[in-house]
Amino acid sequence: MLLLEQLLDEVRAGRLRVPRFQRPYVWHPHQMLDLYDSIERGYPIGSILVWETSRSLPTLDRVAGIEVPPAPDGPVAYLLDGHQRLSTLFGTLVHRPEPAGTGRDRQWWIYRTLGAPDQRDLLFQHWGKHAPPADLLPMQAVLRTVDFLAHARRLARDPTTAGNSDALVDEAEQVAQRIKAYKIPVIRLFGGDLEHAVEAFSRVNSSGRQISPDQMVSALTYQAEHDETLTDRIASIRESIADSGFGDVAAEPVFQTIVAITGEDDVQGARWTALADRVGKTLDGVVAQAEVALHRAVRFLRYEAGVPVAWLVPYPQQLVLLGLFFHHRPDPDGAQGRALVRWFWSTSWSTVFVGGNAFQLRRALHQMRAFANGKAELSLQGQYAQPLPDRFDTEDGRVRAFLLWELNHFGQRYGLDGEPIELVDLLARSGPAAYRRIVTGTRDAANIANRIVLPTPPGASVRDALRNLPLKLLRPVTVSHGIPPAALAQLLADHRDGFIRERTAALVGLEQGFIQEIGGEDLTWDTTPEDGS
């Protein structure tokens, strides 16, 4: 056990260091405040896991934006678990050169409300507008006697607190004492190598968060002569894909693509230490190849498969498999391209990737590698197209498949003024929120057929906006959004359930026709009732 102040002194002296392979600081303001609330109430905040070794590892030269000195000679402790908590405490308790509430560092200024009538409330807050009132005790002053005394004098002089300054100073001293006396358990690993340290972290880290495979391989393949970790490179790939206009893709499929390119079929549960040993020296080349392949996969999705933005990809495994294909076959011929389009749509409608089935993914990787190398065809046998879901839930891959089909089938959409809607920009900017409910006040309001992409003026519902359209615009606007005449008649008559029923029937029929056209005899319909009976 170490006193909180002792732990921060270790960081300030450079003896406790944050390895560069650690994930960056990602905590939100409310998490920072919750941490302080737990400390003041004496609740445990978890242990800190450190690895003490004479081995030299590249580390961060700044923690929470504060410069730390180089490591001293001799053994050094490397932080394996607790980065978010330690950075929060270091960044908010240690004196910062920048004034409170200015610049990018304002998140590190946390205050404790003094004199609150109900001590059960959350008493900590951020303040970044202007000079804080006197009854807010800055955490920056807690460990520095000079700053604490200065704040006590301010309480005595400020007209808003002078009459109650003695009580407020007493409360501030109690707060400071609770923080100074707070002890944090420190688990120390001595000696050994980085592989064993990372394995220990993955088993016993106090936060309960298992280290992700990409973080583990990033740690195990870290090379001192390189500035970037695997985690850095994955972040860079994600940024470059986002910059292309496709939007954000998750780290996991990028990492899995890198693993697949190394020749692995088990990209979800490989023996990461063995993989790191096998590809350690060649990892830079593999990552570079993966970046090129993923950009080719993204171009295919956008311009061949009709996926305008990343969040509409039904399953992340599809991106991994396409990345693997374009690594082996950078310039496919027309027949291969058409086969890939057919495969993409078929796997979007089926359950082959639902739930992250590891066996199905291993088999799909093996088949895709063989297809790319001209040794096999992409078979769709055994795949079953799932029916259209009732509810609009964009976490459901089958819902995203429907949205993609609808985007491609209806093409250009028109706004209330009869002008074309910049659909891709709207979807990229607003995400799923771009899909608005048409009618409300019905039990089927959550139905997927009750959503369209149609901006309206503030305060205007989609239903009212459509019903109030001039006759010359009514038909072309509604048809462009996939509202057939029978459904429109129900909407104009304010028969809301009838509208949803008619539009659902029309959309289901159109989508089933497209599925049959794409899948042919290989992709069959799942006729199992939804209740599984």
Side-chain angles (χ1 to χ4, degrees):
M1 302 283 284
L2 281 181
L3 291 172
L4 192 155
E5 188 171 9
Q6 292 175 319
L7 192 63
L8 300 185
D9 284 342
E10 291 292 297
V11 179
R12 189 158 36 192
R15 291 189 295 269
L16 176 57
R17 310 195 64 78
V18 180
R20 279 185 52 82
F21 58 71
Q22 280 277 12
R23 66 174 184 161
Y25 186 81
V26 296
W27 264 20
H28 299 291
H30 72 87
Q31 292 172 295
M32 302 170 75
L33 301 180
D34 288 343
L35 181 69
Y36 269 104
D37 185 67
S38 295
I39 290 173
E40 177 164 349
R41 298 177 192 275
Y43 299 159
I45 63 170
S47 60
I48 299 292
L49 179 65
V50 302
W51 175 38
E52 295 193 3
T53 177
S54 57
R55 176 176 174 177
S56 176
L57 286 181
T59 56
L60 302 180
D61 56 7
R62 301 178 74 87
V63 175
I66 300 175
E67 189 173 349
V68 292
D73 293 335
V76 172
Y78 296 101
L79 183 70
L80 295 182
D81 182 41
H83 180 208
Q84 307 299 310
R85 287 166 289 151
L86 186 63
S87 290
T88 296
L89 296 170
F90 190 74
T92 54
L93 288 171
V94 173
H95 178 70
R96 310 184 72 86
E98 187 171 3
T102 62
R104 299 175 59 186
D105 288 341
R106 66 181 60 187
Q107 66 172 320
W108 302 111
W109 289 86
I110 292 178
Y111 298 82
R112 167 47 158 86
T113 303
L114 301 175
D118 191 345
Q119 295 293 306
R120 293 172 299 179
D121 292 340
L122 184 61
L123 301 174
F124 293 90
Q125 63 175 290
H126 288 87
W127 191 275
K129 307 167 189 174
H130 45 74
D135 63 352
L136 291 186
L137 171 66
M139 291 299 97
Q140 301 280 333
V142 167
L143 300 183
R144 289 172 55 87
T145 304
V146 172
D147 291 342
F148 186 87
L149 292 175
H151 188 74
R153 288 194 297 271
R154 183 186 177 197
L155 288 170
R157 295 171 181 170
D158 193 290
T160 64
T161 56
N164 193 33
S165 63
D166 288 345
L168 295 179
V169 170
D170 286 344
E171 184 180 350
E173 289 177 342
Q174 293 173 21
V175 172
Q177 184 57 33
R178 281 194 287 268
I179 292 176
K180 289 180 179 180
Y182 192 84
K183 292 184 177 181
I184 298 179
V186 178
I187 300 174
R188 299 181 184 275
L189 307 175
F190 295 95
D193 54 27
L194 182 59
E195 176 182 332
H196 292 100
V198 172
E199 183 179 359
F201 166 66
S202 68
R203 292 171 183 256
V204 304
N205 72 92
S206 60
S207 65
R209 176 183 61 84
Q210 289 294 316
I211 186 172
S212 63
D214 63 296
Q215 291 172 322
M216 179 177 288
V217 176
S218 180
L220 294 173
T221 57
Y222 196 91
Q223 298 179 33
E225 63 270 19
H226 292 171
D227 290 333
E228 290 187 313
T229 65
L230 174 60
T231 301
D232 294 331
R233 295 292 301 279
I234 290 175
S236 178
I237 292 173
R238 295 174 63 198
E239 290 169 0
S240 68
I241 291 175
D243 287 345
S244 73
F246 193 58
D248 186 41
V249 298
E252 185 176 43
V254 175
F255 170 70
Q256 290 180 352
T257 303
I258 294 169
V259 175
I261 287 177
T262 69
E264 290 281 347
D265 281 338
D266 187 2
V267 299
Q268 294 177 320
R271 295 181 63 245
W272 305 120
T273 54
L275 175 67
D277 286 341
R278 182 162 59 81
V279 303
K281 294 293 185 182
T282 61
L283 187 60
D284 279 351
V286 174
V287 173
Q289 293 169 358
E291 181 169 13
V292 172
L294 283 168
H295 274 280
R296 290 194 174 106
V298 166
R299 283 197 295 272
F300 166 82
L301 286 170
R302 295 178 71 181
Y303 303 116
E304 302 296 331
V307 185
V309 288
W311 69 266
L312 280 169
V313 176
Y315 300 101
Q317 296 92 332
Q318 293 170 312
L319 181 60
V320 177
L321 287 155
L322 288 169
L324 178 64
F325 173 84
F326 283 101
H327 168 67
H328 288 285
R329 184 69 61 181
D331 298 304
D333 58 32
Q336 285 179 310
R338 290 188 293 273
L340 274 185
V341 170
R342 186 167 175 256
W343 167 87
F344 170 78
W345 283 103
S346 298
T347 56
S348 296
W349 288 311
S350 75
T351 60
V352 65
F353 298 130
V354 173
N357 187 304
F359 172 76
Q360 292 278 28
L361 182 55
R362 286 197 299 270
R363 186 171 70 173
L365 285 163
H366 178 76
Q367 291 178 344
M368 185 62 77
R369 192 177 285 111
F371 172 65
N373 291 320
K375 297 179 179 179
E377 297 297 323
L378 280 179
S379 173
L380 306 181
Q381 291 183 351
Q383 295 188 25
Y384 297 89
Q386 298 301 296
L388 179 67
D390 291 333
R391 297 183 62 82
F392 180 82
D393 178 8
T394 54
E395 295 297 313
D396 186 332
R398 178 61 177 87
V399 169
R400 292 194 294 271
F402 167 79
L403 297 178
L404 282 176
W405 164 78
E406 186 204 39
L407 285 171
N408 285 273
H409 182 82
F410 292 106
Q412 182 64 68
R413 315 292 174 92
Y414 295 102
L416 297 174
D417 57 359
E419 295 297 318
I421 296 174
E422 295 295 336
L423 200 58
V424 175
D425 290 343
L426 187 56
L427 292 174
R429 185 172 64 253
S430 301
Y435 285 87
R436 306 271 307 281
R437 292 188 185 212
I438 304 171
V439 299
T440 58
T442 171
R443 65 180 183 178
D444 290 331
N447 194 293
I448 194 171
N450 191 34
R451 301 272 183 159
I452 59 174
V453 181
L454 180 65
T456 62
S461 69
V462 174
R463 164 183 164 273
D464 290 343
L466 290 174
R467 296 179 73 202
N468 292 329
L469 276 173
L471 287 178
K472 67 177 181 178
L473 293 179
L474 183 61
R475 182 67 181 270
V477 169
T478 53
V479 167
S480 76
H481 288 275
I483 299 175
L488 178 59
Q490 296 287 332
L491 181 66
L492 295 176
D494 204 22
H495 295 159
R496 305 181 188 192
D497 289 330
F499 164 75
I500 294 175
R501 184 172 58 252
E502 291 290 346
R503 187 166 190 251
T504 299
L507 292 175
V508 167
L510 290 170
E511 191 198 30
Q512 286 184 354
F514 185 64
I515 291 174
Q516 195 63 43
E517 178 185 347
I518 289 290
E521 296 180 357
D522 290 338
L523 183 67
T524 55
W525 282 95
D526 185 356
T527 57
T528 304
E530 290 189 6
D531 62 2
S533 61

